[in-house]
Amino acid sequence: RGLTEKNYADMIAALIISGHHTGLPDYGAKADNDSLGTFWGKYNRRKKLPIDYDSYKTELGEPDLLSPIPKNFANNYSVQFLTPMLFSALVDADFLDTECYMNQEKADSRGAYCSLPELLIRFNEYMKKLDKSSEDTRVNAIRRKIREKCITMAGEEQGVFSLSVPTGGGKTLSSLAFALEHAIKHNLDRIIYVIPYTSIIEQNADVFRDVVGEDQVVEHHSNLEESDSTPKSRLACENWDAPIIVTTSVQFFESLFAAKSGRCRKLHNIVRSVVVLDEAQLVPAEHLIPLLKTMQLLVDHYQVTFVISTATQPAFKEQFVGGKLFPGLKNVKEIMGSDKDVDLLYQSLKRNHVQFPSDIYATTSWEEIASQLLQYKQVLCIVSDRKSCRELHSLMPKGTFHLSALMCGQHRSEMIKTIKQKLKNKEPVCVISTQLVEAGVDFDFPVVYRAFAGLDSIAQAAGRCNREGELPDPGKVMVFIAPRKAPMGILRKAAETTANIVLANYEDPLKHEMYEKYFSELYWKVNSLDSKDIVTLLDPFQNDLRECSICFRTAAERFRIIDDTLQKSILVPFGGGEKLINLLRFSGAERGLMRKLQRYTVNIYNDEFNQLLKRGSVFEASPGIFALISTAEYSEEIGLVVEPLFDPEKFIT
């Protein structure tokens, strides 16, 4: 193996140069044979040739890279992260240099964005107009105070910040105010918004474009259609060389552990940025340790500031949990002030009353829930799985809306737009939904029902009730015990953790200070906070695997926010999807077409896919790409007609 701290810099140089076309390999040992996918295996087949580099020395000189690793990189994990960072800079330079040579017109169309100070001027002008045109309500006054506090705290030194603001408190614009002011104060290059769901991305990106300009915001996610972006923004998606990037948790976090050249290309542009993690409580617990370790590295060594923005703050701070040290983030600063300040803020924005069941062991039938929902003119009911959603919806009268992940993105977007319009017009509207509406969907119902779930889910559901505070009395949030328990895994453990808190008879289970207790207990219950052993794979001096001493490629293959092995995507003929599927059949999987088809995709479990395949409901529209045969099996009301065997919500973003 022969890998020591002394020669680590040599290894970095060897890996990034050898992998700049094929991607970072696993390192391995000199004894590796050609069948092993390591640096010393099949990726270094010329290893036995005596290569003389003397003729290049005059031209290249002695590279600085071979100097010792900087002393401030105090531990092994921080040292290894240098490799993908330097690799990113190399491959991006290589791509750009080739582009300048091969396509100067394309190269010239890059960049030319406004500077961050110019964007701040636009932001301030927009906010003046918004404040002037907004109604003088108590909620709007509180939102202005939140924004002012964000601007004040932007002058603090770089590091990790939490932004604890109740749902409906204006986090989107306030966090942008902080990010712009903070980036300018510290001479940073860009702002990156990381958002868990594509539905929220589209919504937030539209807000940002309204504020700073249509051409100043780059969206990078799978649901973006070719027609919704410009050639310049598509180029910026390749390496994130733009002032404001809006992307998904999948794209951001998986890039941190990527090995392929194209995926790594953007990494070096995360340096010197403000990264806002929106709805941060949705960071997957099974990857929490490697994610928090890498975030801390970015803060310590790469001039990155993180803003953890949510109404339900997860327990990301370094602390002792269950007698063990939880290696979380250090020196987290709350933008809203002390715990007392935050509690007062939550009390001031309390616009509804949450009623928990008197007996958390007594279930309520779907028939009884349906009967209760019929009493209200406008009501939203959120359940924890797709099967429950369909069962309850089937008991409701015609015209009741259904929302779940068995509806394609285009279908859900159209449905949500219709629901919002009905709410605005004060028309009768009843919605049965899975938890996909809990983060970022700006519904404002007078009454919300929520099946018993994690404390964060209940709080997010409450955020869809009396959101604007316009009701004369507090909104009504009813928590009930559903006939079916939450799905196994993290959702079941979250519900059990909430039950412990409710049974402890706390005065207010949804008080802000309870979230740290809730998340700390939840993380302690999770089987592993590094389920794929990513930290071990990427620590060269503790890795005891027989073949590899540092495993970049293996870690990249294992680290998945969405486990693709458990599910398949199928295309559905909803609306314009049918025409696009026919184009795919006859024209092939052209990139622009595939981006458009993302809006007409439904993700299902393998067993559900096999069920459709067995009954002849899907066909192979293009090699490896399956589509639903008939519109008869895609309902305009509830989406894909398949018996839900499992709950995919925790896998789908």
Side-chain angles (χ1 to χ4, degrees), residues 408-435:
C408 68
Q410 183 64 31
H411 193 177
R412 292 199 305 267
S413 294
E414 292 179 12
M415 197 78 82
I416 288 170
K417 185 177 180 181
T418 301
I419 293 167
K420 285 184 175 181
Q421 192 59 50
K422 284 184 172 291
L423 287 169
K424 185 177 180 180
N425 296 342
K426 310 296 184 185
E427 298 176 38
V429 56
C430 177
V431 179
I432 313 297
S433 176
T434 60
Q435 59 267 40

Side-chain angles (χ1 to χ4, degrees), residues 431-538:
V431 179
I432 313 297
S433 176
T434 60
Q435 59 267 40
L436 64 84
V437 300
E438 286 179 350
V441 180
D442 295 339
F443 283 160
D444 189 359
F445 280 85
V447 180
V448 171
Y449 273 62
R450 182 45 166 115
F452 198 88
L455 204 63
D456 54 328
S457 292
I458 294 171
Q460 292 290 345
R464 315 305 129 197
C465 180
N466 195 21
R467 187 178 183 87
E468 295 299 321
E470 294 180 349
L471 297 177
D473 299 311
K476 185 177 180 181
V477 180
M478 301 295 293
V479 181
F480 64 93
I481 309 300
R484 183 178 294 105
K485 289 184 177 181
M488 290 291 289
I490 190 69
L491 294 181
R492 177 76 59 84
K493 290 175 180 177
E496 291 170 352
T497 304
T498 303
N500 292 339
I501 289 174
V502 172
L503 287 171
N505 293 317
Y506 287 103
E507 181 183 343
D508 182 4
L510 290 178
K511 198 172 182 180
H512 173 259
E513 65 188 37
M514 299 305 302
Y515 298 124
E516 184 168 350
K517 176 180 176 61
Y518 162 76
F519 279 108
S520 295
E521 184 178 335
L522 178 60
Y523 295 156
W524 183 78
K525 288 180 178 178
V526 173
N527 293 335
S528 174
L529 298 177
D530 184 8
S531 62
K532 302 299 182 181
D533 291 325
I534 301 300
V535 172
T536 300
L537 289 170
L538 295 178

Side-chain angles (χ1 to χ4, degrees), residues 573-600:
F574 171 81
E578 187 169 13
K579 181 179 179 181
L580 294 174
I581 291 170
N582 288 331
L583 277 174
L584 175 66
R585 293 177 65 187
F586 299 109
S587 305
E590 186 266 330
R591 183 182 177 187
L593 175 60
M594 293 309 298
R595 293 191 73 87
K596 291 179 180 179
L597 280 166
Q598 284 287 341
R599 297 289 295 165
Y600 302 93

Side-chain angles (χ1 to χ4, degrees), residues 316-362:
F316 284 174
K317 298 177 184 177
E318 185 177 65
Q319 58 184 298
F320 280 93
V321 180
K324 296 181 180 179
L325 178 65
F326 174 69
L329 301 172
K330 300 174 183 177
N331 304 318
V332 179
K333 291 170 276 190
E334 172 55 55
I335 293 175
M336 290 295 103
S338 66
D339 289 343
K340 184 178 180 180
D341 293 331
V342 176
D343 284 339
L344 289 172
L345 172 62
Y346 274 66
Q347 287 299 318
S348 68
L349 274 173
K350 195 168 184 178
R351 292 145 290 171
N352 51 59
H353 174 69
V354 180
Q355 183 175 329
F356 283 87
S358 56
D359 183 354
I360 65 169
Y361 300 109

Side-chain angles (χ1 to χ4, degrees), residues 34 39-51 53 56:
D34 287 356
F39 175 77
W40 293 105
K42 64 183 178 182
Y43 294 99
N44 191 28
R45 291 178 179 173
R46 294 186 180 183
K47 62 189 176 186
K48 296 179 181 178
L49 296 177
I51 302 173
Y53 292 100
Y56 297 97

Side-chain angles (χ1 to χ4, degrees), residues 135 142 197 220 431 469 493 640:
E135 293 182 36
I142 294 171
Y197 298 120
H220 188 189
V431 179
K493 290 175 180 177
L640 183 64

